[in-house]
Amino acid sequence: MDHTPINLIGGGGHAKVVLDAIIASGRIAHGVYDDDPSPAVCTNGRVRLLGAIPAVLDDDASLLIAVGAIDARERLVARIDPVRLCAPVVHPAATVSPSARIGRGSLVGAGAVVHADAAVGLHGLVNTGAIVEHDCVLGENVHVAPGAVLGGGVTVGDHTLVGIGACVLPGVRIGTQCTIGAGAVVIGDVGDGAVVVGNPLRTLRS
Ligand code: JB2
């Protein structure tokens, strides 16, 4: 167990989920950076505001990005020295295989499952109830939204969002900076930067 206190970057709705996971897993949230002087996560007094988000996040703290929007997360990733990232936060109600690898700065939320030999990159977000099957490989800052399912051996590139409840069939390769819409059923490979939605799948941007 890593007992280094964690500073959250961003203090909105997603930060509430992150804070609960930190506390439930027996770790310590030290504070929150947010440009908003009264971020939502601070309203119940469980964590204090440290101030605006610094231009370069290389202080001595252990850091975790707690903003949900993938584009905002991507901008923040570029401002953080990876050595400052906290050990991954895994909610005690999540299931993570002993053979899975979870990158620093990641969150595995309540009810999520990461199966054998799967790999989640730095700043990963396997959100509430999401399933990452065996041998999946997720790049940096991949967000698997609540209830989404990645079948075995799926690969997902950096800064890609797999939306709420989406299903990705086994072995599919999804590129970088993609958006997979909520509820989409992805039966074939998706190129970098694509936006795909629905079932049957439609491409809004390729
Ligand atoms: O670049 C930024 C940014 N920098 C700091 N973009 C955005 N959108 N927000 C930024 N922030 C701070 O993060 C804001 O000042 C605010 O306090 C917080 C974002 O809070 P919000 O509640 O708007 O969104 P969220 O990112 O916490 O949660 C979103 O993503 C989750 C995964 C929501 O869509 C949630 O419903 C969702 N579960």
Side-chain angles (χ1 to χ4, degrees):
M1 173 73 72
D2 184 339
H3 291 291
T4 311
I6 299 169
N7 285 340
L8 306 184
I9 305 163
H14 180 56
K16 297 179 183 178
V17 174
V18 174
L19 179 62
D20 277 355
I22 290 170
I23 294 170
S25 60
R27 294 169 66 183
I28 299 163
H30 174 256
V32 178
Y33 291 114
D34 200 312
D35 299 340
D36 180 340
S38 185
V41 76
C42 294
T43 53
N44 62 17
R46 289 190 301 168
V47 68
R48 66 193 178 97
L49 181 65
L50 300 169
I53 303 173
V56 179
L57 288 142
D58 66 351
D59 59 16
D60 286 340
S62 185
L63 297 167
L64 190 147
I65 296 174
V67 177
I70 196 85
D71 53 341
R73 293 174 63 86
E74 183 175 352
R75 288 192 297 273
L76 289 166
V77 164
R79 291 161 61 178
I80 301 175
D81 184 338
V83 302
R84 299 300 183 201
L85 297 179
C86 67
V89 173
V90 177
H91 193 286
T95 302
V96 176
S97 167
S99 64
R101 286 164 287 140
I102 312 291
R104 297 182 73 83
S106 295
L107 171 74
V108 181
V113 183
V114 182
H115 274 303
D117 293 322
V120 175
L122 300 178
H123 302 283
L125 173 48
V126 182
N127 219 327
T128 312
I131 296 175
V132 176
E133 265 291 350
H134 65 90
D135 298 301
C136 286
V137 178
L138 279 52
E140 183 174 285
N141 185 34
V142 170
H143 180 180
V144 186
V149 179
L150 307 183
V154 166
T155 64
V156 184
D158 298 345
H159 313 300
T160 281
L161 166 67
V162 181
I164 291 175
C167 292
V168 183
L169 267 61
V172 164
R173 303 173 68 86
I174 297 174
T176 60
Q177 295 177 307
C178 294
T179 301
I180 310 299
V185 177
V186 183
I187 61 172
D189 294 353
V190 176
D192 293 346
V195 178
V196 296
V197 299
N199 178 24
L201 199 68
R202 287 183 294 127
T203 300
L204 298 187
R205 187 180 77 202
S206 59

